[in-house]
Amino acid sequence: MANCIVAALLFICSQPGIGREAETKPLPTKEIVNNLAQQIVKNRLAITQLQLAIHGTVSESKKGVVKTRGYDCNYWLDGEKARWDFTWSGVVPAAGIRQIAAFNIEKDGYAFTGSSEADVANRFFLITQGKGPNAGKPTISKIDYRNLGLFNCGFGLLGKFDLATFLVGDQFRDAVLKKTEYQGKEALSLDWTRPNKVVSRVVFLPKNENEVVLVEDRDGDLIHSTKSEYEFFAKCGKYFPTKITHINKIKEVPFYTEEIHINVQAINEPISGGAFTFDGLGLPEGSLIMDYSNPDDPGRTFKKIVDGKAVDAKPNPPTDPKPKAQPIPIQGKPGGGLWNLAYIAAGVASLIVGLLALYIVRFRASKS
């Protein structure tokens, strides 16, 4: 009998509608949850081309004083090519600072990072090649915004999550999946208690490819939630979030609110190749780039942005001991050690340090 229930519920979760079985039979099985999660991840991974323009507004309340700041992020994905281009706006010390991370830019197998901030520009403009057994592949995980709406966090922490980790783990042994209603629509609600006693909930819309509309964690009086709104893009036949609201509350009183508005410019449509070139980066006039993209040249070549184009810089290397854009290799030559990899990983981390500063309170649920 148990096997029949599992089979029936697996079928229900895979269909756009909800059958009566879901009304009377809760889903306490890890297999059912894994099936549902894998289906959602599969839907997102089917997006191989993506272009987004994202605007976020953050409001924090501390001792009765509300502070607001904003940010803009453009994102491109085309197969293995990806680019993340972030700028702060509003009244914050970092306003106007632009941060870039791109993978397989200019040529396959090369990465680019950059910042317009004066004190880091000497270190983080670069194009380098991964070497050794991973040659031809970036050696740093690229930021993947196909995971928007799936994880309970604001934009600043989203880049640390991989799609494959969505609802993965053993914490669902006591989970219950049942039919419910969410904002007037038929929904499935997954509820469970984590080992650290945090009570968690995820709500799916079966008729919208089981997309996630709510992720919520409760730890006593502290509530941490992410709500998403979706649109259906008929041209590609996909649902994708267009608005995400992330709220932290104590005793139902918000102290942190982040609204993320997502302008979906393309899904599974051709992306302009210029997004992944030096010329397409739109770097400031006179910016210097240290280019390691010639594998036959053991040295380095400097490029300079002139009239919006990346051209060879002369003299090479330039006489300026502190060029505007100084690269660090992703990793050294085979057998050369790992210090270069650590350096560039730290560099990329610095590009999102401003985003991480959004979070004063780290929710304990993220440790489970």
Side-chain angles (χ1 to χ4, degrees):
M1 178 64 179
N3 289 336
C4 292
I5 293 173
V6 169
L9 293 174
L10 280 170
F11 176 77
I12 290 166
C13 290
S14 66
Q15 303 304 308
I18 303 174
R20 291 183 179 179
E21 192 76 19
E23 297 182 31
T24 58
K25 301 294 184 180
L27 310 179
T29 62
K30 178 180 175 182
E31 291 77 14
I32 301 272
V33 175
N34 286 342
N35 177 274
L36 185 57
Q38 290 170 12
Q39 186 181 127
I40 293 168
V41 170
K42 182 179 179 180
N43 288 340
R44 292 294 181 94
L45 289 177
I47 298 173
T48 58
Q49 295 168 304
L50 187 63
Q51 184 173 348
L52 308 174
I54 300 166
H55 175 73
T57 303
V58 177
S59 296
E60 287 183 282
S61 177
K62 188 174 182 182
K63 296 181 179 179
V65 178
V66 178
K67 295 184 178 180
T68 302
R69 55 187 177 271
Y71 57 82
D72 292 280
C73 180
N74 291 301
Y75 177 75
W76 297 261
L77 173 72
D78 191 356
E80 291 299 316
K81 296 180 179 180
R83 175 178 158 196
W84 176 86
D85 207 321
F86 179 92
T87 305
W88 279 110
S89 59
V91 185
V92 292
I97 290 177
R98 182 185 177 204
Q99 301 167 332
I100 309 167
F103 299 87
N104 288 319
I105 191 167
E106 198 71 22
K107 297 181 182 180
D108 289 346
Y110 294 84
F112 180 94
T113 60
S115 173
S116 64
E117 191 173 7
D119 64 347
V120 298
N122 284 345
R123 290 177 288 153
F124 300 133
F125 280 148
L126 62 111
I127 178 169
T128 56
Q129 180 187 39
K131 298 181 179 179
N134 293 320
K137 298 181 179 179
T139 56
I140 314 166
S141 297
K142 65 172 180 275
I143 297 172
D144 190 345
Y145 285 143
R146 292 177 296 184
N147 64 9
L148 280 162
L150 299 184
F151 296 94
N152 196 7
C153 67
F155 194 71
L157 293 177
L158 192 63
K160 77 173 187 177
F161 292 102
D162 186 278
L163 266 171
T165 65
F166 175 62
L167 292 185
V168 170
D170 297 325
Q171 65 264 47
F172 306 111
R173 57 184 179 275
D174 298 321
V176 174
L177 183 62
K178 59 186 178 182
K179 180 181 177 181
T180 186
E181 186 176 283
Y182 181 83
Q183 296 183 349
K185 297 180 179 180
E186 292 181 333
L188 290 176
S189 176
L190 171 66
D191 299 84
W192 76 98
T193 300
R194 298 176 185 266
N196 62 358
K197 308 303 181 183
V198 171
V199 178
S200 296
R201 185 185 186 208
V202 179
V203 177
F204 313 86
L205 296 184
K207 291 184 178 180
N208 290 19
E209 294 186 336
N210 287 316
E211 287 291 5
V212 176
V213 290
L214 173 66
V215 186
E216 182 178 81
D217 296 307
R218 291 176 177 261
D219 184 7
D221 292 333
L222 182 59
I223 304 171
H224 184 59
S225 67
T226 299
K227 297 181 180 180
S228 300
E229 299 177 15
Y230 289 80
E231 287 187 17
F232 180 70
F233 295 88
K235 194 171 183 178
C236 62
K238 292 290 179 184
Y239 286 91
F240 201 81
T242 54
K243 182 181 178 181
I244 297 173
T245 304
H246 177 69
I247 303 177
N248 291 341
K249 298 186 285 188
I250 296 179
K251 294 183 178 179
E252 299 294 338
V253 178
F255 64 90
Y256 178 94
T257 301
E258 181 174 358
E259 283 198 357
I260 304 169
H261 296 268
I262 304 158
N263 179 1
V264 180
Q265 299 177 333
I267 299 181
N268 287 348
E269 297 179 53
I271 304 298
S272 169
F276 306 103
T277 65
F278 287 149
D279 299 343
L281 288 173
L283 296 177
E285 190 76 2
S287 292
L288 288 170
I289 304 161
M290 192 180 291
D291 185 355
Y292 289 83
S293 63
N294 183 356
D296 299 324
D297 183 0
R300 56 198 183 191
T301 302
F302 283 87
K303 303 285 187 182
K304 186 175 183 179
I305 301 299
V306 178
D307 295 331
K309 299 290 184 180
V311 300
D312 287 339
K314 303 297 182 181
N316 185 26
T319 55
D320 185 352
K322 293 182 178 180
K324 293 181 181 180
Q326 175 72 30
I328 301 297
I330 287 181
Q331 64 183 51
K333 296 180 179 179
L338 297 177
W339 70 271
N340 289 338
L341 176 58
Y343 199 174
I344 185 56
V348 171
S350 76
L351 296 181
I352 60 172
V353 70
L355 295 176
L356 300 183
L358 292 174
Y359 297 88
I360 297 175
V361 177
R362 291 295 300 275
F363 195 60
R364 292 188 310 197
S366 64
K367 297 180 180 179
S368 63

PDB file of all heavy atoms in Angstrom, residues 210-241:
ATOM      1  N   ASN A 210       5.560  23.690 -10.990  1.00  0.00           N
ATOM      2  CA  ASN A 210       5.997  23.538  -9.599  1.00  0.00           C
ATOM      3  C   ASN A 210       6.984  24.611  -9.166  1.00  0.00           C
ATOM      4  O   ASN A 210       7.801  24.394  -8.267  1.00  0.00           O
ATOM      5  CB  ASN A 210       6.595  22.150  -9.360  1.00  0.00           C
ATOM      6  CG  ASN A 210       5.529  21.072  -9.337  1.00  0.00           C
ATOM      7  OD1 ASN A 210       4.478  21.232  -8.728  1.00  0.00           O
ATOM      8  ND2 ASN A 210       5.789  19.975 -10.020  1.00  0.00           N
ATOM      9  N   GLU A 211       6.922  25.785  -9.770  1.00  0.00           N
ATOM     10  CA  GLU A 211       7.846  26.845  -9.372  1.00  0.00           C
ATOM     11  C   GLU A 211       7.600  27.234  -7.917  1.00  0.00           C
ATOM     12  O   GLU A 211       6.489  27.157  -7.395  1.00  0.00           O
ATOM     13  CB  GLU A 211       7.686  28.065 -10.279  1.00  0.00           C
ATOM     14  CG  GLU A 211       8.258  27.880 -11.672  1.00  0.00           C
ATOM     15  CD  GLU A 211       9.778  27.787 -11.697  1.00  0.00           C
ATOM     16  OE1 GLU A 211      10.415  27.766 -10.619  1.00  0.00           O
ATOM     17  OE2 GLU A 211      10.344  27.738 -12.800  1.00  0.00           O
ATOM     18  N   VAL A 212       8.677  27.672  -7.258  1.00  0.00           N
ATOM     19  CA  VAL A 212       8.648  27.989  -5.830  1.00  0.00           C
ATOM     20  C   VAL A 212       8.188  29.435  -5.641  1.00  0.00           C
ATOM     21  O   VAL A 212       8.794  30.360  -6.175  1.00  0.00           O
ATOM     22  CB  VAL A 212      10.043  27.800  -5.213  1.00  0.00           C
ATOM     23  CG1 VAL A 212      10.046  28.226  -3.753  1.00  0.00           C
ATOM     24  CG2 VAL A 212      10.475  26.345  -5.343  1.00  0.00           C
ATOM     25  N   VAL A 213       7.126  29.628  -4.866  1.00  0.00           N
ATOM     26  CA  VAL A 213       6.625  30.976  -4.620  1.00  0.00           C
ATOM     27  C   VAL A 213       6.922  31.461  -3.203  1.00  0.00           C
ATOM     28  O   VAL A 213       6.849  32.659  -2.928  1.00  0.00           O
ATOM     29  CB  VAL A 213       5.110  31.079  -4.890  1.00  0.00           C
ATOM     30  CG1 VAL A 213       4.832  30.966  -6.378  1.00  0.00           C
ATOM     31  CG2 VAL A 213       4.337  30.022  -4.101  1.00  0.00           C
ATOM     32  N   LEU A 214       7.259  30.550  -2.292  1.00  0.00           N
ATOM     33  CA  LEU A 214       7.575  30.941  -0.922  1.00  0.00           C
ATOM     34  C   LEU A 214       8.577  29.983  -0.325  1.00  0.00           C
ATOM     35  O   LEU A 214       8.426  28.763  -0.429  1.00  0.00           O
ATOM     36  CB  LEU A 214       6.307  30.950  -0.054  1.00  0.00           C
ATOM     37  CG  LEU A 214       6.514  31.174   1.455  1.00  0.00           C
ATOM     38  CD1 LEU A 214       7.038  32.581   1.724  1.00  0.00           C
ATOM     39  CD2 LEU A 214       5.231  30.928   2.236  1.00  0.00           C
ATOM     40  N   VAL A 215       9.623  30.547   0.279  1.00  0.00           N
ATOM     41  CA  VAL A 215      10.561  29.782   1.105  1.00  0.00           C
ATOM     42  C   VAL A 215      10.608  30.511   2.442  1.00  0.00           C
ATOM     43  O   VAL A 215      10.884  31.707   2.490  1.00  0.00           O
ATOM     44  CB  VAL A 215      11.969  29.714   0.489  1.00  0.00           C
ATOM     45  CG1 VAL A 215      12.866  28.784   1.311  1.00  0.00           C
ATOM     46  CG2 VAL A 215      11.905  29.248  -0.950  1.00  0.00           C
ATOM     47  N   GLU A 216      10.332  29.795   3.519  1.00  0.00           N
ATOM     48  CA  GLU A 216      10.238  30.448   4.825  1.00  0.00           C
ATOM     49  C   GLU A 216      10.908  29.606   5.902  1.00  0.00           C
ATOM     50  O   GLU A 216      10.775  28.374   5.923  1.00  0.00           O
ATOM     51  CB  GLU A 216       8.768  30.669   5.191  1.00  0.00           C
ATOM     52  CG  GLU A 216       8.543  31.394   6.500  1.00  0.00           C
ATOM     53  CD  GLU A 216       7.071  31.610   6.779  1.00  0.00           C
ATOM     54  OE1 GLU A 216       6.420  30.649   7.258  1.00  0.00           O
ATOM     55  OE2 GLU A 216       6.572  32.720   6.499  1.00  0.00           O
ATOM     56  N   ASP A 217      11.639  30.271   6.805  1.00  0.00           N
ATOM     57  CA  ASP A 217      12.251  29.626   7.964  1.00  0.00           C
ATOM     58  C   ASP A 217      11.849  30.403   9.209  1.00  0.00           C
ATOM     59  O   ASP A 217      11.909  31.637   9.233  1.00  0.00           O
ATOM     60  CB  ASP A 217      13.781  29.616   7.844  1.00  0.00           C
ATOM     61  CG  ASP A 217      14.258  28.790   6.668  1.00  0.00           C
ATOM     62  OD1 ASP A 217      13.857  27.626   6.580  1.00  0.00           O
ATOM     63  OD2 ASP A 217      15.019  29.318   5.842  1.00  0.00           O
ATOM     64  N   ARG A 218      11.463  29.673  10.245  1.00  0.00           N
ATOM     65  CA  ARG A 218      11.086  30.287  11.517  1.00  0.00           C
ATOM     66  C   ARG A 218      11.943  29.715  12.630  1.00  0.00           C
ATOM     67  O   ARG A 218      12.002  28.498  12.824  1.00  0.00           O
ATOM     68  CB  ARG A 218       9.605  30.044  11.818  1.00  0.00           C
ATOM     69  CG  ARG A 218       8.649  30.783  10.889  1.00  0.00           C
ATOM     70  CD  ARG A 218       7.194  30.420  11.170  1.00  0.00           C
ATOM     71  NE  ARG A 218       6.290  31.192  10.330  1.00  0.00           N
ATOM     72  CZ  ARG A 218       5.637  32.279  10.725  1.00  0.00           C
ATOM     73  NH1 ARG A 218       5.777  32.705  11.989  1.00  0.00           N
ATOM     74  NH2 ARG A 218       4.828  32.935   9.914  1.00  0.00           N
ATOM     75  N   ASP A 219      12.545  30.614  13.381  1.00  0.00           N
ATOM     76  CA  ASP A 219      13.364  30.225  14.516  1.00  0.00           C
ATOM     77  C   ASP A 219      12.910  31.062  15.714  1.00  0.00           C
ATOM     78  O   ASP A 219      13.390  32.168  15.934  1.00  0.00           O
ATOM     79  CB  ASP A 219      14.840  30.488  14.217  1.00  0.00           C
ATOM     80  CG  ASP A 219      15.736  29.993  15.340  1.00  0.00           C
ATOM     81  OD1 ASP A 219      15.232  29.350  16.269  1.00  0.00           O
ATOM     82  OD2 ASP A 219      16.952  30.264  15.285  1.00  0.00           O
ATOM     83  N   GLY A 220      11.935  30.552  16.431  1.00  0.00           N
ATOM     84  CA  GLY A 220      11.362  31.336  17.510  1.00  0.00           C
ATOM     85  C   GLY A 220      10.644  32.558  16.954  1.00  0.00           C
ATOM     86  O   GLY A 220       9.772  32.453  16.089  1.00  0.00           O
ATOM     87  N   ASP A 221      11.055  33.731  17.412  1.00  0.00           N
ATOM     88  CA  ASP A 221      10.432  34.975  16.949  1.00  0.00           C
ATOM     89  C   ASP A 221      11.025  35.484  15.640  1.00  0.00           C
ATOM     90  O   ASP A 221      10.509  36.447  15.061  1.00  0.00           O
ATOM     91  CB  ASP A 221      10.586  36.077  18.016  1.00  0.00           C
ATOM     92  CG  ASP A 221       9.778  35.781  19.270  1.00  0.00           C
ATOM     93  OD1 ASP A 221       8.754  35.082  19.162  1.00  0.00           O
ATOM     94  OD2 ASP A 221      10.177  36.232  20.364  1.00  0.00           O
ATOM     95  N   LEU A 222      12.094  34.860  15.175  1.00  0.00           N
ATOM     96  CA  LEU A 222      12.759  35.316  13.959  1.00  0.00           C
ATOM     97  C   LEU A 222      12.188  34.593  12.739  1.00  0.00           C
ATOM     98  O   LEU A 222      12.160  33.362  12.679  1.00  0.00           O
ATOM     99  CB  LEU A 222      14.262  35.070  14.057  1.00  0.00           C
ATOM    100  CG  LEU A 222      15.128  35.527  12.880  1.00  0.00           C
ATOM    101  CD1 LEU A 222      14.986  37.032  12.653  1.00  0.00           C
ATOM    102  CD2 LEU A 222      16.589  35.164  13.124  1.00  0.00           C
ATOM    103  N   ILE A 223      11.718  35.362  11.766  1.00  0.00           N
ATOM    104  CA  ILE A 223      11.147  34.811  10.534  1.00  0.00           C
ATOM    105  C   ILE A 223      11.948  35.322   9.347  1.00  0.00           C
ATOM    106  O   ILE A 223      12.209  36.519   9.224  1.00  0.00           O
ATOM    107  CB  ILE A 223       9.673  35.226  10.376  1.00  0.00           C
ATOM    108  CG1 ILE A 223       8.860  34.810  11.609  1.00  0.00           C
ATOM    109  CG2 ILE A 223       9.081  34.603   9.114  1.00  0.00           C
ATOM    110  CD1 ILE A 223       7.460  35.381  11.618  1.00  0.00           C
ATOM    111  N   HIS A 224      12.308  34.412   8.486  1.00  0.00           N
ATOM    112  CA  HIS A 224      13.174  34.701   7.346  1.00  0.00           C
ATOM    113  C   HIS A 224      12.441  34.159   6.122  1.00  0.00           C
ATOM    114  O   HIS A 224      12.193  32.949   6.040  1.00  0.00           O
ATOM    115  CB  HIS A 224      14.478  33.945   7.605  1.00  0.00           C
ATOM    116  CG  HIS A 224      15.579  34.152   6.634  1.00  0.00           C
ATOM    117  ND1 HIS A 224      16.142  35.363   6.363  1.00  0.00           N
ATOM    118  CD2 HIS A 224      16.274  33.244   5.885  1.00  0.00           C
ATOM    119  CE1 HIS A 224      17.133  35.198   5.497  1.00  0.00           C
ATOM    120  NE2 HIS A 224      17.222  33.935   5.183  1.00  0.00           N
ATOM    121  N   SER A 225      12.006  35.020   5.183  1.00  0.00           N
ATOM    122  CA  SER A 225      11.183  34.525   4.079  1.00  0.00           C
ATOM    123  C   SER A 225      11.572  35.146   2.744  1.00  0.00           C
ATOM    124  O   SER A 225      12.067  36.273   2.682  1.00  0.00           O
ATOM    125  CB  SER A 225       9.701  34.805   4.350  1.00  0.00           C
ATOM    126  OG  SER A 225       9.432  36.192   4.321  1.00  0.00           O
ATOM    127  N   THR A 226      11.317  34.390   1.689  1.00  0.00           N
ATOM    128  CA  THR A 226      11.534  34.844   0.314  1.00  0.00           C
ATOM    129  C   THR A 226      10.296  34.490  -0.507  1.00  0.00           C
ATOM    130  O   THR A 226       9.958  33.317  -0.642  1.00  0.00           O
ATOM    131  CB  THR A 226      12.787  34.186  -0.300  1.00  0.00           C
ATOM    132  OG1 THR A 226      13.936  34.538   0.465  1.00  0.00           O
ATOM    133  CG2 THR A 226      12.980  34.632  -1.739  1.00  0.00           C
ATOM    134  N   LYS A 227       9.626  35.523  -1.029  1.00  0.00           N
ATOM    135  CA  LYS A 227       8.432  35.325  -1.846  1.00  0.00           C
ATOM    136  C   LYS A 227       8.746  35.718  -3.291  1.00  0.00           C
ATOM    137  O   LYS A 227       9.395  36.732  -3.529  1.00  0.00           O
ATOM    138  CB  LYS A 227       7.275  36.170  -1.327  1.00  0.00           C
ATOM    139  CG  LYS A 227       6.829  35.804   0.083  1.00  0.00           C
ATOM    140  CD  LYS A 227       5.659  36.678   0.531  1.00  0.00           C
ATOM    141  CE  LYS A 227       5.208  36.306   1.942  1.00  0.00           C
ATOM    142  NZ  LYS A 227       4.072  37.157   2.379  1.00  0.00           N
ATOM    143  N   SER A 228       8.243  34.932  -4.230  1.00  0.00           N
ATOM    144  CA  SER A 228       8.546  35.182  -5.645  1.00  0.00           C
ATOM    145  C   SER A 228       7.266  35.257  -6.469  1.00  0.00           C
ATOM    146  O   SER A 228       6.301  34.536  -6.214  1.00  0.00           O
ATOM    147  CB  SER A 228       9.439  34.068  -6.202  1.00  0.00           C
ATOM    148  OG  SER A 228      10.668  33.999  -5.493  1.00  0.00           O
ATOM    149  N   GLU A 229       7.297  36.143  -7.470  1.00  0.00           N
ATOM    150  CA  GLU A 229       6.223  36.253  -8.453  1.00  0.00           C
ATOM    151  C   GLU A 229       6.798  35.876  -9.816  1.00  0.00           C
ATOM    152  O   GLU A 229       7.928  36.260 -10.151  1.00  0.00           O
ATOM    153  CB  GLU A 229       5.661  37.678  -8.479  1.00  0.00           C
ATOM    154  CG  GLU A 229       5.057  38.122  -7.160  1.00  0.00           C
ATOM    155  CD  GLU A 229       4.579  39.562  -7.193  1.00  0.00           C
ATOM    156  OE1 GLU A 229       4.447  40.130  -8.318  1.00  0.00           O
ATOM    157  OE2 GLU A 229       4.347  40.133  -6.110  1.00  0.00           O
ATOM    158  N   TYR A 230       6.007  35.137 -10.601  1.00  0.00           N
ATOM    159  CA  TYR A 230       6.491  34.602 -11.870  1.00  0.00           C
ATOM    160  C   TYR A 230       5.672  35.130 -13.045  1.00  0.00           C
ATOM    161  O   TYR A 230       4.512  35.494 -12.903  1.00  0.00           O
ATOM    162  CB  TYR A 230       6.406  33.069 -11.865  1.00  0.00           C
ATOM    163  CG  TYR A 230       7.410  32.406 -10.963  1.00  0.00           C
ATOM    164  CD1 TYR A 230       7.192  32.334  -9.587  1.00  0.00           C
ATOM    165  CD2 TYR A 230       8.581  31.859 -11.462  1.00  0.00           C
ATOM    166  CE1 TYR A 230       8.112  31.730  -8.749  1.00  0.00           C
ATOM    167  CE2 TYR A 230       9.502  31.243 -10.638  1.00  0.00           C
ATOM    168  CZ  TYR A 230       9.262  31.192  -9.281  1.00  0.00           C
ATOM    169  OH  TYR A 230      10.174  30.601  -8.451  1.00  0.00           O
ATOM    170  N   GLU A 231       6.304  35.115 -14.202  1.00  0.00           N
ATOM    171  CA  GLU A 231       5.602  35.346 -15.455  1.00  0.00           C
ATOM    172  C   GLU A 231       5.897  34.177 -16.380  1.00  0.00           C
ATOM    173  O   GLU A 231       6.958  33.539 -16.289  1.00  0.00           O
ATOM    174  CB  GLU A 231       6.047  36.659 -16.113  1.00  0.00           C
ATOM    175  CG  GLU A 231       5.538  37.900 -15.422  1.00  0.00           C
ATOM    176  CD  GLU A 231       5.866  39.173 -16.192  1.00  0.00           C
ATOM    177  OE1 GLU A 231       6.195  39.053 -17.398  1.00  0.00           O
ATOM    178  OE2 GLU A 231       5.813  40.255 -15.596  1.00  0.00           O
ATOM    179  N   PHE A 232       4.952  33.902 -17.265  1.00  0.00           N
ATOM    180  CA  PHE A 232       5.157  32.855 -18.263  1.00  0.00           C
ATOM    181  C   PHE A 232       5.615  33.505 -19.553  1.00  0.00           C
ATOM    182  O   PHE A 232       4.972  34.426 -20.069  1.00  0.00           O
ATOM    183  CB  PHE A 232       3.863  32.077 -18.504  1.00  0.00           C
ATOM    184  CG  PHE A 232       4.007  30.992 -19.527  1.00  0.00           C
ATOM    185  CD1 PHE A 232       4.751  29.853 -19.264  1.00  0.00           C
ATOM    186  CD2 PHE A 232       3.412  31.120 -20.777  1.00  0.00           C
ATOM    187  CE1 PHE A 232       4.892  28.853 -20.213  1.00  0.00           C
ATOM    188  CE2 PHE A 232       3.540  30.125 -21.730  1.00  0.00           C
ATOM    189  CZ  PHE A 232       4.282  28.990 -21.449  1.00  0.00           C
ATOM    190  N   PHE A 233       6.728  33.044 -20.084  1.00  0.00           N
ATOM    191  CA  PHE A 233       7.291  33.594 -21.317  1.00  0.00           C
ATOM    192  C   PHE A 233       6.984  32.609 -22.449  1.00  0.00           C
ATOM    193  O   PHE A 233       7.639  31.582 -22.608  1.00  0.00           O
ATOM    194  CB  PHE A 233       8.785  33.848 -21.145  1.00  0.00           C
ATOM    195  CG  PHE A 233       9.067  34.918 -20.116  1.00  0.00           C
ATOM    196  CD1 PHE A 233       9.210  34.586 -18.778  1.00  0.00           C
ATOM    197  CD2 PHE A 233       9.145  36.253 -20.480  1.00  0.00           C
ATOM    198  CE1 PHE A 233       9.442  35.570 -17.820  1.00  0.00           C
ATOM    199  CE2 PHE A 233       9.375  37.244 -19.533  1.00  0.00           C
ATOM    200  CZ  PHE A 233       9.524  36.905 -18.198  1.00  0.00           C
ATOM    201  N   ALA A 234       5.950  32.950 -23.195  1.00  0.00           N
ATOM    202  CA  ALA A 234       5.401  32.022 -24.184  1.00  0.00           C
ATOM    203  C   ALA A 234       6.402  31.656 -25.270  1.00  0.00           C
ATOM    204  O   ALA A 234       6.392  30.543 -25.792  1.00  0.00           O
ATOM    205  CB  ALA A 234       4.142  32.631 -24.807  1.00  0.00           C
ATOM    206  N   LYS A 235       7.271  32.595 -25.596  1.00  0.00           N
ATOM    207  CA  LYS A 235       8.204  32.354 -26.701  1.00  0.00           C
ATOM    208  C   LYS A 235       9.107  31.161 -26.426  1.00  0.00           C
ATOM    209  O   LYS A 235       9.469  30.410 -27.340  1.00  0.00           O
ATOM    210  CB  LYS A 235       9.042  33.611 -26.944  1.00  0.00           C
ATOM    211  CG  LYS A 235       9.793  33.595 -28.263  1.00  0.00           C
ATOM    212  CD  LYS A 235      10.412  34.957 -28.533  1.00  0.00           C
ATOM    213  CE  LYS A 235      11.116  34.973 -29.892  1.00  0.00           C
ATOM    214  NZ  LYS A 235      11.685  36.302 -30.194  1.00  0.00           N
ATOM    215  N   CYS A 236       9.476  30.981 -25.146  1.00  0.00           N
ATOM    216  CA  CYS A 236      10.354  29.855 -24.790  1.00  0.00           C
ATOM    217  C   CYS A 236       9.613  28.812 -23.961  1.00  0.00           C
ATOM    218  O   CYS A 236      10.165  27.755 -23.646  1.00  0.00           O
ATOM    219  CB  CYS A 236      11.576  30.342 -24.025  1.00  0.00           C
ATOM    220  SG  CYS A 236      11.168  31.128 -22.448  1.00  0.00           S
ATOM    221  N   GLY A 237       8.362  29.114 -23.570  1.00  0.00           N
ATOM    222  CA  GLY A 237       7.579  28.167 -22.792  1.00  0.00           C
ATOM    223  C   GLY A 237       8.075  27.982 -21.379  1.00  0.00           C
ATOM    224  O   GLY A 237       7.947  26.882 -20.809  1.00  0.00           O
ATOM    225  N   LYS A 238       8.621  29.051 -20.772  1.00  0.00           N
ATOM    226  CA  LYS A 238       9.208  28.946 -19.441  1.00  0.00           C
ATOM    227  C   LYS A 238       8.590  29.955 -18.476  1.00  0.00           C
ATOM    228  O   LYS A 238       8.247  31.074 -18.849  1.00  0.00           O
ATOM    229  CB  LYS A 238      10.720  29.196 -19.496  1.00  0.00           C
ATOM    230  CG  LYS A 238      11.524  28.129 -20.215  1.00  0.00           C
ATOM    231  CD  LYS A 238      11.549  26.857 -19.391  1.00  0.00           C
ATOM    232  CE  LYS A 238      12.334  25.760 -20.095  1.00  0.00           C
ATOM    233  NZ  LYS A 238      12.280  24.495 -19.330  1.00  0.00           N
ATOM    234  N   TYR A 239       8.490  29.528 -17.214  1.00  0.00           N
ATOM    235  CA  TYR A 239       8.183  30.455 -16.128  1.00  0.00           C
ATOM    236  C   TYR A 239       9.499  30.944 -15.542  1.00  0.00           C
ATOM    237  O   TYR A 239      10.463  30.176 -15.431  1.00  0.00           O
ATOM    238  CB  TYR A 239       7.382  29.759 -15.029  1.00  0.00           C
ATOM    239  CG  TYR A 239       5.943  29.483 -15.379  1.00  0.00           C
ATOM    240  CD1 TYR A 239       5.575  28.275 -15.973  1.00  0.00           C
ATOM    241  CD2 TYR A 239       4.948  30.420 -15.110  1.00  0.00           C
ATOM    242  CE1 TYR A 239       4.257  28.013 -16.300  1.00  0.00           C
ATOM    243  CE2 TYR A 239       3.622  30.170 -15.429  1.00  0.00           C
ATOM    244  CZ  TYR A 239       3.289  28.962 -16.021  1.00  0.00           C
ATOM    245  OH  TYR A 239       1.977  28.703 -16.343  1.00  0.00           O
ATOM    246  N   PHE A 240       9.521  32.219 -15.146  1.00  0.00           N
ATOM    247  CA  PHE A 240      10.728  32.756 -14.516  1.00  0.00           C
ATOM    248  C   PHE A 240      10.308  33.885 -13.577  1.00  0.00           C
ATOM    249  O   PHE A 240       9.363  34.630 -13.878  1.00  0.00           O
ATOM    250  CB  PHE A 240      11.724  33.281 -15.564  1.00  0.00           C
ATOM    251  CG  PHE A 240      13.133  33.361 -15.038  1.00  0.00           C
ATOM    252  CD1 PHE A 240      13.925  32.230 -14.999  1.00  0.00           C
ATOM    253  CD2 PHE A 240      13.655  34.562 -14.557  1.00  0.00           C
ATOM    254  CE1 PHE A 240      15.223  32.281 -14.499  1.00  0.00           C
ATOM    255  CE2 PHE A 240      14.947  34.628 -14.063  1.00  0.00           C
ATOM    256  CZ  PHE A 240      15.737  33.481 -14.030  1.00  0.00           C
ATOM    257  N   PRO A 241      10.979  34.013 -12.417  1.00  0.00           N
ATOM    258  CA  PRO A 241      10.589  35.067 -11.472  1.00  0.00           C
ATOM    259  C   PRO A 241      10.854  36.463 -12.024  1.00  0.00           C
ATOM    260  O   PRO A 241      11.884  36.703 -12.661  1.00  0.00           O
ATOM    261  CB  PRO A 241      11.453  34.785 -10.239  1.00  0.00           C
ATOM    262  CG  PRO A 241      12.595  33.978 -10.747  1.00  0.00           C
ATOM    263  CD  PRO A 241      12.071  33.177 -11.894  1.00  0.00           C
TER     264      PRO A 241
END
